[in-house]
Amino acid sequence: MYTNKFIDDYKKQNYVQYKQIAHDLGVSPRMITEVRKGRTDLNENQILMLAQAVG
């Protein structure tokens, strides 16, 4: 539910492109696209990493 917000907030803090976030999470850029479109989800550890990074 909040995954897209975490991704967007993380991107605003640190990066310009989603592929940079994908690298930090250890997933493919396509996976980030799929998450953004609501077709799949990140795992629990990845969501926690984003949440901790954005505060």
Side-chain angles (χ1 to χ4, degrees):
M1 180 174 187
Y2 295 104
T3 305
N4 281 336
K5 180 161 175 35
F6 287 143
I7 291 172
D8 288 339
D9 289 347
Y10 188 76
K11 183 180 171 204
K12 286 177 190 173
Q13 284 185 347
N14 301 304
Y15 300 116
V16 176
Q17 299 179 330
Y18 289 115
K19 70 180 181 179
Q20 296 164 312
I21 297 169
H23 181 267
D24 281 0
L25 295 175
V27 299
S28 69
R30 180 158 179 91
M31 174 73 167
I32 298 296
T33 300
E34 296 296 314
V35 169
R36 303 263 314 134
K37 291 181 178 181
R39 296 181 184 156
T40 191
D41 292 313
L42 296 172
N43 70 36
E44 183 177 310
N45 290 333
Q46 293 163 330
I47 294 170
L48 284 173
M49 190 281 282
L50 289 173
Q52 290 173 346
V54 298

